[in-house]
Amino acid sequence: MKISHIEHIGIAVPNLDEAIAYYENVLGLKCYKKETVADQKVTTAFIKVGDVKIELLEATSPDSTIAKFIEKNGGKGGMHHMAFAVEDGVAEALAECEEKGVRVIDKAPRGGAEGLQIAFLHPKSTQAVLTELCEDPSKK
Ligand code: ZN
């Protein structure tokens, strides 16, 4: 696979508005978009830092993976995942990962926030960092 850059860093937060206030008021960055992704049971907020985005994730339901992550962290958020932009497509990258014995969470690409096609790799196979692969179909 060919990775071009870190697409975003996902950070789980218990309170999206408080988190946005920190990034805007302390770091002077700007949240340009909020989006709820229903099938992932999260509301996301995006902040751009150069070419990289920070994706803040707030659970919309107690059975969301983000809610469980925060619960495990004693009610606090924290860095949740790192997302790489793959140039040659998520499906191809997934096939390569499976061939190399990497445990994948998603067997096929699915729709994520910002119109991206995404898939997650299991942290057991990725040096303990939940890893997301993404591609922007509008850039193909
Ligand atoms: Zn993400």
Side-chain angles (χ1 to χ4, degrees):
M1 74 183 84
K2 187 156 184 262
I3 288 171
S4 57
H5 62 287
I6 292 173
E7 214 283 334
H8 64 268
I9 293 169
I11 297 171
V13 300
N15 183 306
L16 200 54
D17 291 330
E18 274 178 26
I20 292 168
Y22 160 72
Y23 284 93
E24 291 193 333
N25 301 336
V26 178
L27 300 185
L29 299 166
K30 184 94 193 100
C31 169
Y32 65 91
K33 187 178 175 189
K34 270 194 194 180
E35 181 181 351
T36 296
V37 184
D39 76 314
Q40 286 172 57
K41 297 175 180 159
V42 292
T43 299
T44 59
F46 286 96
I47 291 157
K48 247 196 171 129
V49 191
D51 283 340
V52 179
K53 294 182 259 180
I54 292 171
E55 177 187 51
L56 303 173
L57 300 141
E58 181 190 58
T60 56
S61 155
D63 64 343
S64 155
T65 56
I66 294 301
K68 287 174 195 157
F69 176 86
I70 288 172
E71 199 184 301
K72 265 195 217 158
N73 264 331
K76 294 187 195 107
M79 188 176 152
H80 182 257
H81 65 272
M82 181 153 63
F84 294 107
V86 291
E87 283 185 347
D88 39 1
V90 172
E92 292 82 348
L94 272 180
E96 187 183 328
C97 286
E98 287 207 274
E99 206 180 282
K100 289 179 174 168
V102 170
R103 198 163 141 195
V104 301
I105 292 172
D106 299 299
K107 293 265 178 201
R110 59 188 166 96
E114 297 243 286
L116 300 177
Q117 284 292 302
I118 65 159
F120 281 94
L121 306 179
H122 199 284
K124 282 211 163 116
S125 293
T126 58
Q127 302 294 311
V129 176
L130 177 61
T131 298
E132 180 181 352
L133 303 174
C134 12
E135 98 185 87
D136 186 345
S138 72
K139 284 183 184 158
K140 273 208 144 175

